[in-house]
Amino acid sequence: MHYVVLGAGPSGVVAAETLRKADPTGTITLVSGENEPPYSRMAIPYVLTGKIGEAGTHLRKGEDHYAARGIDVRVNARATALMPDHKRIDFADGSHMKYDRLLVATGARPVRPPIPGLNLKGVHHCWTLEDTRNIIALAEPGTHVVLMGAGFIGCIVLEALAARGVQLTVVEMGDRMVPRMMNPIAGTMIRRWCEAKGIRVLTNTKIKALQNVAAEKSRGIFGFLKRREPTEARDTLDVELDSGEMLSAHLVVVSAGVAPNVDFLANSGVKVDRGIMVDRYMRTSVNDVFAAGDVAQGYDFSTKAHDVHAIQPTASEHGRIAAMNMAGHNIQYNGSLQMNVLDTVGLISSSFGLWAGVDGGDSVEIVDDANYKYLNLQFADDVLVGGTAIGVTQHVGVMRGLIQTGTKLGPWKERLKADPHRLMEAYIARTHLT
Amino acid sequence: MQRSLNIDPGKCTGCRQCEMACSYENEGVFNPSKSRIKVFTFDAEARFVPYTCTQCAEAWCMQACPVDAIKVNLATGAKEVHADLCVGCKVCTIACPFGTINYNASSGKVMKCDLCEGDPACAKACPTQAITFVDSNWTGLDKMRAWAAKTDTGARAN
Ligand SMILES: Cc1cc2nc3c(=O)[nH]c(=O)nc-3n(C[C@H](O)[C@H](O)[C@H](O)COP(=O)(O)OP(=O)(O)OC[C@H]3O[C@@H](n4cnc5c(N)ncnc54)[C@H](O)[C@@H]3O)c2cc1C
Ligand code: SF4
Ligand code: SF4
């Protein structure tokens, strides 16, 4: 049996390791489209801050980790076509590979919105180790940096850029920061914190166009009137906002959403919606082809629908379940829980599950604006279904446990409504004292 | 034979010696807020429950870590945080359904129970044997295992 795992992010690596445990004799090939050892994108911000070097992002540390498990790693091999009838994958360099069972774990890639000038020098995504090197070269202390997008990934990048000591402006077209992770009250609290830390946050604002500084200067005095801050010698880019304001920048980082890496699946018969459609066994619409991670539209525990979560814990769970089923076990996925934790220049926030609540549900909310603390719990009957926390870091994981076990809170629901901080006690009482 | 912490809340008097011992053993200070084991108080029932990581088999924290900073100590079976590798991303703190791995802002990293290399300070400090270090096969640990199984993201093979 030859298992091919296409994609060497967390999903692919966990899958390859699980395959080895489940099938000690099969042949396993792990393929990366990049010319790097298998690494973790989400560790990139810590390379930017200098907390780790590039090797710190590697998903597994031992030199011979993969070889010792009989996992053959192939890097710099970008798949360009899948031919399920021949069980064959074609690569950009003209080579091809046969498989018996295939896992597509190719993740996603950042999208570049159709805005004039986004192809200029000094504009980068923050997605790969290659991007990281480019950003490090430009994000020197004191330089003007414009970040486009304040979603979850944008805000993580924000934290890293701020730590590099740049003068940062964030431009978000939505009405708040992290709109898909935080409700308006929580998103606004994060914004106030960031502003207090010296970051300029513009919401409801779009970037209209980018151009080189020199070109714009030739327009004379009018170009300068619209600026709040003077252009600095190192600035090479002018960023025009729909408010009419002009920002100068040495670096523009684009974090405006992602798209699944599925181009090579055209004409393969693998069905794609917002990601590759998979059932609860991580099988795609094509025999012997499975999908996992950011590329997959998998089963969601809370909504009972299929969705792309694009988070690390889901990627590794998908990889494990897919691999077990590829190796012939029959394991149904209970579904992943949408959950995020974010650190915006020292303010830590998290959200879980159906944090926006459910129809006919019940909730409790505590807002402490002065101390930047927030807690919001959402219930359906006496079961916790979602939660949001800001400024709370101890025992937050118990929200996941209460949600995913569907623990009936009984009298503890009213106690939580009186004091939502007693989550851990609610869990212990309902599981250990009954 | 691997051993586990076994907690018998019925014997706990709420003296918090375990929290003191843990924070001293691991952080060098007598500060319950730095302890990896916490005693929860239930005033209405006049009960106390010490609680910490169960070194669960599923090890969600370890599975979720993006940089392989949590590893199993093969001698003790404990899931240990390797502080030199941890980047402080906190993903493990939302992944553990028991809430027993937590961020420590002063170190910028996370901390959890590591069974003190097979000689847990909390168990030694407990004057009433509410916390004991016992053979992992002992049946008293079933409640925790049952809850872990309920959280499991992949139902068992059918
Ligand atoms: C800056 C940043 C910060 C993040 N922070 C967090 C966080 O704090 N918490 C969190 O939960 N998530 C975070 N994420 C998201 C997280 O990194 C992803 O959810 C996770 O990496 C998904 O894993 P994956 O294995 O599905 O895909 P990826 O990690 O994207 O891996 C995809 C693999 O497929 C390969 N590939 C792609 N196309 C092809 C092809 N055609 N042929 C062959 N190989 C191909 C790639 O080279 C790569 O090896 C962050 C992401 C970024 C970029
Ligand atoms: S910290 Fe939580 S997930 Fe990790 S081993 Fe302990 S109980 Fe399991
Ligand atoms: S906080 Fe540290 S141990 Fe936890 S997941 Fe992140 S890197 Fe791993």
Side-chain angles (χ1 to χ4, degrees), chain B residues 88-103:
Chain B
C89 74
K90 312 166 198 72
V91 162
C92 54
T93 70
I94 58 169
C96 165
F98 304 95
T100 51
I101 179 163
N102 290 305
Y103 183 62

Side-chain angles (χ1 to χ4, degrees), chain A residues 274-275 293 296-300 303 305-310 314 318 336 338:
Chain A
R274 270 158 294 151
Q297 189 170 329
Y299 189 66
D300 180 304
T303 61
H306 286 72
D307 210 347
V308 178
H309 277 178
T314 297
H318 275 185
S336 49
Q338 183 61 273

Side-chain angles (χ1 to χ4, degrees), chain A residues 56-299:
Chain A
T57 69
H58 296 169
L59 278 154
R60 300 294 179 258
K61 309 298 185 204
E63 281 283 310
D64 64 343
H65 178 88
Y66 300 99
R69 285 160 183 76
I71 297 168
D72 193 19
V73 181
R74 201 174 147 200
V75 298
N76 209 10
R78 199 167 51 81
T80 50
L82 169 67
M83 276 146 298
D85 292 346
H86 301 98
K87 294 209 158 177
R88 199 181 97 175
I89 311 155
D90 286 355
F91 292 96
D93 65 0
S95 66
H96 54 82
M97 191 183 285
K98 302 274 270 181
Y99 66 85
D100 294 313
R101 287 202 182 121
L102 171 68
L103 178 66
V104 180
T106 46
R109 63 164 177 276
V111 293
R112 200 160 271 221
I115 293 171
L118 278 189
N119 54 342
L120 291 174
K121 245 182 96 186
V123 181
H124 294 286
H125 290 293
C126 182
W127 195 255
T128 60
L129 279 176
E130 184 73 45
D131 294 333
T132 314
R133 293 169 200 134
N134 291 324
I135 291 174
I136 287 176
L138 292 169
E140 296 156 1
T143 50
H144 289 145
V145 176
V146 173
L147 172 63
M148 175 177 177
F152 175 56
I153 307 272
C155 282
I156 293 169
V157 175
L158 169 150
E159 153 93 6
L161 289 170
R164 290 186 66 83
V166 304
Q167 288 192 52
L168 188 59
T169 305
V170 191
V171 183
E172 161 64 45
M173 61 183 205
D175 66 349
R176 61 182 189 269
M177 293 174 81
V178 271
R180 277 181 295 161
M181 170 183 166
M182 291 283 148
N183 65 25
I185 295 175
T188 305
M189 193 178 277
I190 294 174
R191 177 204 178 128
R192 269 202 308 119
W193 173 276
C194 291
E195 288 176 336
K197 295 282 171 182
I199 296 166
R200 193 161 171 231
V201 183
L202 303 172
T203 50
N204 290 314
T205 309
K206 281 188 189 147
I207 292 181
K208 260 175 79 180
L210 268 69
Q211 55 199 346
N212 286 317
V213 163
E216 198 266 338
K217 264 185 187 158
S218 64
R219 286 206 230 140
I221 184 79
F222 295 106
F224 292 92
L225 286 177
K226 294 183 282 183
R227 286 176 208 284
R228 272 173 42 132
E229 289 192 46
T231 307
E232 206 204 40
R234 287 176 289 188
D235 293 337
T236 59
L237 292 165
D238 275 315
V239 181
E240 191 185 341
L241 307 180
D242 64 353
S243 59
E245 188 181 340
M246 194 73 91
L247 304 169
S248 316
H250 184 54
L251 164 68
V252 173
V253 179
V254 180
S255 177
V258 299
N261 283 322
V262 292
D263 302 352
F264 68 101
L265 296 175
N267 310 318
S268 69
V270 173
K271 281 204 186 104
V272 177
D273 179 24
R274 270 158 294 151
I276 298 173
M277 312 260 283
V278 290
D279 64 11
R280 288 179 68 179
Y281 299 83
M282 310 311 293
R283 295 178 294 217
T284 70
S285 55
V286 167
N287 262 348
D288 293 323
V289 180
F290 297 70
D294 278 14
V295 80
Q297 189 170 329
Y299 189 66

Side-chain angles (χ1 to χ4, degrees), chain B residues 61 64-67 69-70 81 85-93 101 110:
Chain B
C61 59
C65 177
V67 293
I70 302 176
V81 177
L85 297 176
C86 172
V87 294
C89 74
K90 312 166 198 72
V91 162
C92 54
T93 70
I101 179 163
V110 294

Side-chain angles (χ1 to χ4, degrees), chain A residues 7-11 33-34 41-42 77 79 106-107 127 153 156 293-294 310-312:
Chain A
S11 204
E34 294 161 66
R41 299 196 190 296
M42 67 166 288
T106 46
W127 195 255
I153 307 272
I156 293 169
D294 278 14
I311 51 169
Q312 163 88 16

